[in-house]
Amino acid sequence: MLKAVIFDLDGVVTDTAHLHFQAWQSVAATIGIEIDETFNASLKGISRMDSLMRILRHGGKEAAFSADEREALAQAKNALYVDSLSTITAQALLPGIARTLAELRQAGVRIGLASVSLNAPTILRALGMSEAFDFCADASRIARSKPDPEIFLAACQGLGVKPQEAIGIEDAQAGIDAINAAGMMSVGIGEGLQRAGLQLTSTDQLSWHCLADFWAAGRRPKAHR
């Protein structure tokens, strides 16, 4: 029986990629590194500090800053990003998400969030969706970022379910790999994702019936040849 569905936040529930990009671009410029939207796509689904290290490597400055200086840069990016969150409203929910969450609630399925963003609770409040989730696992609860499965395992534990009783939904390859490594069934949103159990092009294709059918097909005994 499917007991829980666990959502990534950015790119699945809402899309703040442009806000992250603007903040990282501003901070990178202060240390003489240029990044564009193509490079920014490589930061999808990974933690703040891992993102900073990729930016420093991109600019050939990985060894140019001490640990304290790297932390200051990460905090500067976060301050810019948090300021930009004031622009988020319920209108920023991605298509089909409000409907799917309501359907899951009606079906009695537990709903979780697994986001590497420390700002996840703030974003949910801005969206007016805090009460829609039974448990939120964010970066404060883990030591290892995606593709490590830790955050999805933390979400399962918080929801009181086994990974084998849950579906995870992600839009990044690191997230899909984390879901699979946790022993959950995976749903990928977008194109170019590998190893997703179910691939959808848009959140608008999500629904309780879609997820229930996917679950049933995945649990159906395979015929012996």
Side-chain angles (χ1 to χ4, degrees):
M1 178 180 177
L2 174 60
K3 293 187 177 180
V5 176
I6 300 172
F7 295 76
D8 175 41
L9 176 60
D10 203 12
V12 175
V13 175
T14 188
D15 190 356
T16 62
H18 62 293
L19 301 180
H20 283 291
F21 171 58
Q22 290 167 3
W24 276 129
Q25 188 179 47
S26 177
V27 169
T30 66
I31 56 174
I33 298 175
E34 293 185 8
I35 62 173
D36 57 20
E37 292 188 8
T38 299
F39 175 82
N40 187 62
S42 72
L43 308 181
K44 196 174 186 178
I46 65 175
S47 70
R48 187 186 310 156
M49 191 55 70
D50 287 344
S51 294
L52 175 60
M53 294 307 297
R54 289 195 183 191
I55 290 170
L56 294 178
R57 282 195 294 272
H58 175 70
K61 297 186 177 184
E62 186 174 11
F65 299 90
S66 67
D68 287 344
E69 289 170 332
R70 292 195 298 270
E71 181 62 31
L73 289 170
Q75 291 299 325
K77 180 269 176 181
N78 189 56
L80 291 172
Y81 176 67
V82 170
D83 284 345
S84 71
L85 293 180
S86 62
T87 64
I88 292 180
T89 68
Q91 301 303 313
L93 276 173
L94 288 176
I97 291 298
R99 179 195 67 237
T100 300
L101 292 173
E103 291 172 348
L104 290 171
R105 181 69 68 204
Q106 186 174 15
V109 176
R110 302 277 284 167
I111 302 171
L113 192 78
S115 171
V116 295
S117 174
L118 287 167
N119 298 301
T122 300
I123 295 171
L124 288 183
R125 285 194 296 272
L127 293 168
M129 300 302 291
S130 296
E131 300 303 316
F133 292 85
D134 297 303
F135 184 79
C136 175
D138 62 27
S140 67
R141 300 178 181 272
I142 61 169
R144 299 176 296 278
S145 186
K146 304 169 186 176
D148 190 279
E150 185 180 14
I151 196 163
F152 282 99
L153 294 174
C156 287
Q157 184 177 21
L159 292 169
V161 302
K162 298 175 182 178
Q164 295 79 12
E165 300 171 327
I167 289 174
I169 304 176
E170 267 279 1
D171 74 315
Q173 188 61 57
I176 294 296
D177 292 342
I179 293 170
N180 292 339
M184 302 163 60
M185 292 177 66
S186 58
V187 175
I189 304 294
E191 300 179 354
L193 298 176
Q194 300 177 12
R195 298 177 293 281
L198 174 65
Q199 183 79 53
L200 304 176
T201 59
S202 167
T203 55
D204 201 28
Q205 294 177 304
L206 274 175
S207 69
W208 160 240
H209 292 297
C210 165
L211 294 173
D213 288 347
F214 169 54
W215 180 264
R219 296 304 176 186
R220 190 175 299 131
K222 294 179 174 59
H224 293 289
R225 295 187 179 182

